[in-house]
DNA sequence: GCCAGAAATGATAGCGCAATCATTTTTATG
DNA sequence: CATAAAAATGATTGCGCTATCATTTCTGGC
């Protein structure tokens, strides 16, 4: 682990600072962590010593001694989906301002890797944890429950939360969009996404849609799922594929806006009339959805908000408060635009 | 720091596992960290004990005892710019596979906050660090140099690296794009970005462009800078603003593709002919740049690649190798499309 | 079977800090 | 001014683990 071991001068420790300032180590520790409890005189002297010795607190030792770090692990299934990035940015906003560091785990939609990440992160004695989704391996759930510290499951709103929960119902979102499409008169609707077997939130949107189609006695199709992470170009390809394979499709509900926007741009380029030939709908409410032509009908999900709320729920608990709600439904909003 | 302190059962420690398995703690430690050095019999027995007790390694203690953690801090100036996210994803790819955790710091383009982040992160005894950019406060540079462990400065390619460096020359990128625009016959060129005073990489692209304009004796303009993070909608607004304020502008070099794509979409919507009325160019090479109409002329920067290389440079050094090159110019590529 | 060398295991010590309680100094009060 | 209470400071101890060195057990060659 140690790189080219040069004859590095010994690291400066608390003790060194203490000696330099002529006080006890404990006083230095306090001056650094709870300045209010140290007299102004000493605080200044210690500050000067810290400065002149170039002392950097060893947070590892601090975390061990006090049995707790200020690191908050955040576990997400993907970084290539812009949604998670925005959520992370929201968490960062709040957490960093409160003096917490984020540690990032990426599971690539693999529940075993998720377990690994959780279990590794627990080893950092974090004061709490944020994890995307509510579907985990049993042992993951058990581990977190036994752990007993605050845990926020985000992105999805559900009843079986391990501890706290912030998100929205993807099933309802699917229902909402499908209802809209059916109301508009579309009859041959298909759902297109990526890694749907793993991305069960997308799958739930599909199921919500499917239920509505069933209720209206419409043609129900299996979702179309592509491998690999979603990206803009893929949406366009998917559009062309489905139009060729299933010409009578008159509406597509994409699993996310990245795909849907890609499809609209491609349609424009290929001269496919949207929504006349085929309607296109997405999910997320990316800023871009409003800029393409026609505007993309989508479901707005408050991504930054989810992140911020998740972080605040944790911070509340750290502070000893019981948060107003253990479960927050941030809800969503259907945004109808030209594409349907 | 401790939340509602319930009468939690004592944490399971190495010692507990050792007793349960009837071996010494040291053997358990070895079985966990260097399995090859422990006999198969004991390894199995210890594994069983770990399982049945639900033991989770305390990485904090481990890091303290061995004076080194497996956490790699990554410091970026922003998370709202998709570029950094992609770079982070690249780092994650490589680092997580090698068993390292990423710790995320966001400076919001503030060099003081950068110093704070660096100094906090050093407290986690990381084996190395990755930081965006080459422009830092003197004390930040000094801190990192004195630290002596591997540091990668990324995004930008330059000569004054603290240690290792992966990136590209933004100045040259600016020159390249400007040369292209001038060659195409554009004469009234303006640079538009966000937070240019802070985002000095964007500023360097501007300077590169400015030099070319000067050389050709063309009208040189101050860059136009908007406050706050860049986003798609802003690009469109900026386009309309500049066309109204300075009608004779015939080409815009946007600081990034997010803005440029927004501008193209807006132009389309408002009936502004691109590139006839005004040419539009960007920087980054987002996938989207190829999908809009007309396609966006841009400079492709290998973002994932930068992240991967940065991570690999670190890992190489951890392994004791001297990396082939301390400084890697990943270069860039001018991608000419319809928008110019 | 005996022994040298290798492999496996164990005992000890300490990483750098903060919790805790003991002690000293300061402040407020009558 | 004496004294109790509060504030500031210090001494001790241990967080859970691994580096290091000491010891034991296993190997193979003769």
């Amino acid at each position: 682990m140690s790189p080219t071991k040069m004859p590095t001068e010994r690291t400066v420790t608390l003790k060194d600072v203490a000696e330099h300032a002529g006080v006890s180590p404990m006083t230095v520790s306090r001056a650094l962590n709870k300045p209010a409890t140290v007299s102004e005189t000493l605080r200044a002297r210690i500050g000067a010593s810290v400065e002149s010795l170039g002392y950097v607190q060893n947070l590892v030792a601090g975390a061990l001694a006090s049995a707790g770090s200020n690191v908050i692990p955040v576990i997400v299934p993907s970084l290539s989906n812009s949604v998670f990035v925005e959520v992370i940015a929201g968490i960062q906003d709040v957490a960093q301002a409160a003096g917490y560091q984020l540690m990032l785990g990426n599971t690539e939609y693999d529940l075993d890797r998720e377990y690994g990440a959780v279990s590794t992160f627990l080893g950092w004695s974090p004061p709490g944890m944020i994890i995307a989704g509510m579907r985990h391996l049993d042992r993951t759930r058990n581990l977190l429950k036994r752990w007993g510290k605050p845990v926020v499951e985000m992105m999805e709103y559900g009843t079986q939360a391990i501890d706290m929960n912030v998100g929205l119902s993807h099933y309802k979102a699917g229902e909402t969009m499908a209802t809209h499409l059916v109301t508009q008169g579309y009859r041959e609707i298909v759902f297109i996404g990526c890694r749907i077997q793993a991305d069960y939130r997308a799958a739930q949107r599909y199921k919500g849609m499917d239920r509505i189609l069933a209720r209206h006695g419409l043609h129900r199709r299996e979702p179309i799922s592509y491998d690999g992470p979603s990206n803009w170009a893929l949406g366009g390809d998917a559009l062309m594929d489905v139009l060729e394979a299933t010409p009578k499709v008159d509406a597509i509900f994409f699993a996310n806006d990245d795909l849907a926007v890609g499809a609209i741009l491609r349609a424009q380029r290929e001269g496919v009339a949207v929504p006349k030939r085929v309607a296109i709908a997405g999910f997320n409410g990316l800023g871009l959805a409003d800029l393409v032509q026609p505007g993309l009908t989508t479901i707005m999900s408050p991504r930054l908000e989810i992140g911020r709320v998740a972080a605040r729920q944790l911070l509340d608990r750290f502070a000893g408060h019981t948060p107003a709600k253990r479960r927050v439904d941030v809800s969503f909003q259907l945004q109808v635009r030209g594409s349907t």
Side-chain angles (χ1 to χ4, degrees), chain A residues 84-94 102 304 307-308:
Chain A
F84 294 107
V85 174
E86 289 186 64
V87 172
I88 290 171
I91 297 172
Q92 257 262 348
D93 261 11
V94 175
L102 256 46
L304 262 175
R308 292 213 179 99

Side-chain angles (χ1 to χ4, degrees), chain A residues 68-73 100 124-129 147 149-150 314 318:
Chain A
S69 70
N70 65 344
V71 171
I72 301 178
Y100 289 87
W124 284 102
S125 308
M129 189 177 297
W147 186 44
K149 291 198 189 170
L314 272 193
F318 296 166

Side-chain angles (χ1 to χ4, degrees), chain A residues 7-311:
Chain A
T8 322
E9 58 248 62
R10 206 174 49 75
T11 3
V12 179
T13 72
L14 243 200
K15 213 172 140 196
D16 299 322
V17 176
E19 279 167 13
H20 188 273
V23 298
S24 79
M26 205 49 235
T27 303
V28 178
S29 169
R30 278 194 277 253
L32 262 33
N33 299 318
K34 296 170 193 163
T37 66
V38 174
S39 72
E40 208 165 326
T41 334
L42 287 191
R43 222 186 307 151
R45 216 159 81 209
I46 290 168
S49 298
V50 165
E51 195 67 31
S52 87
L53 294 179
Y55 171 65
V56 176
Q57 254 186 301
N58 184 328
L59 300 175
V60 175
L64 179 58
S66 64
S69 70
N70 65 344
V71 171
I72 301 178
V74 178
I75 299 178
V76 296
S78 163
L79 283 178
S80 34
N81 187 326
S82 54
V83 172
F84 294 107
V85 174
E86 289 186 64
V87 172
I88 290 171
I91 297 172
Q92 257 262 348
D93 261 11
V94 175
Q96 193 160 298
Y100 289 87
Q101 313 291 339
L102 256 46
M103 222 181 226
L104 211 56
N106 179 356
T107 69
E108 291 295 337
Y109 286 106
D110 176 336
L111 293 183
D112 286 309
R113 286 179 70 163
E114 182 184 79
Y115 175 79
V118 167
S119 126
T120 304
F121 282 143
L122 287 187
W124 284 102
S125 308
M129 189 177 297
I130 298 178
I131 184 167
M134 309 194 70
R135 194 164 296 179
H136 317 286
L137 296 183
D138 279 344
R139 48 186 184 147
T140 308
R141 296 178 60 84
N142 291 338
L143 188 59
L144 286 173
K145 279 195 167 160
R146 223 182 316 139
W147 186 44
K149 291 198 189 170
V151 173
V152 181
E153 288 167 285
M154 61 172 187
M155 304 310 288
E156 186 183 350
Y157 181 69
T159 52
Q160 303 296 320
I162 296 173
D163 181 12
M164 292 179 288
N165 176 218
V166 192
L168 54 89
S169 164
H170 291 257
Y171 188 87
K172 279 192 197 163
E175 288 185 331
T176 301
M177 184 56 85
T179 302
H180 164 70
L181 291 173
V182 171
T183 306
Q184 294 288 313
Y186 300 105
R187 290 293 172 264
E188 299 290 342
I189 305 173
V190 62
F191 186 95
I192 302 183
C194 290
R195 305 196 265 196
I196 293 184
Q197 52 310 342
D199 181 356
Y200 69 92
R201 278 179 293 282
Q204 283 187 297
R205 296 194 286 276
Y206 165 73
K207 281 183 192 150
M209 170 184 111
D210 194 54
R211 169 146 179 265
I212 298 298
L213 296 190
R215 180 189 294 170
H216 287 267
L218 295 176
H219 187 169
R220 295 160 65 191
R221 292 181 166 82
E222 286 299 305
I224 298 176
S225 179
Y226 288 79
D227 288 340
S230 66
N231 62 63
W232 290 308
L234 184 57
D237 295 342
L239 170 72
M240 300 317 288
D241 285 355
V242 77
L243 288 186
E244 181 168 342
T246 322
K248 65 178 183 174
V249 159
D250 61 6
I252 304 176
F253 182 14
F254 280 99
N256 60 54
D257 280 2
D258 303 66
L259 293 173
V261 164
I264 287 191
L265 291 173
R266 181 69 171 275
Q268 198 173 51
R269 172 163 289 192
E270 306 268 357
V272 174
V274 176
K276 201 157 185 199
R277 166 65 186 89
V278 62
I280 293 180
F283 175 84
N284 269 340
L286 291 195
L288 208 54
D290 197 18
L291 302 178
V292 294
Q293 199 120 44
L296 174 66
T297 293
T298 187
I299 289 194
M300 313 287 283
S301 68
R303 301 169 300 283
L304 262 175
E305 177 73 5
I306 289 179
R308 292 213 179 99
V309 172

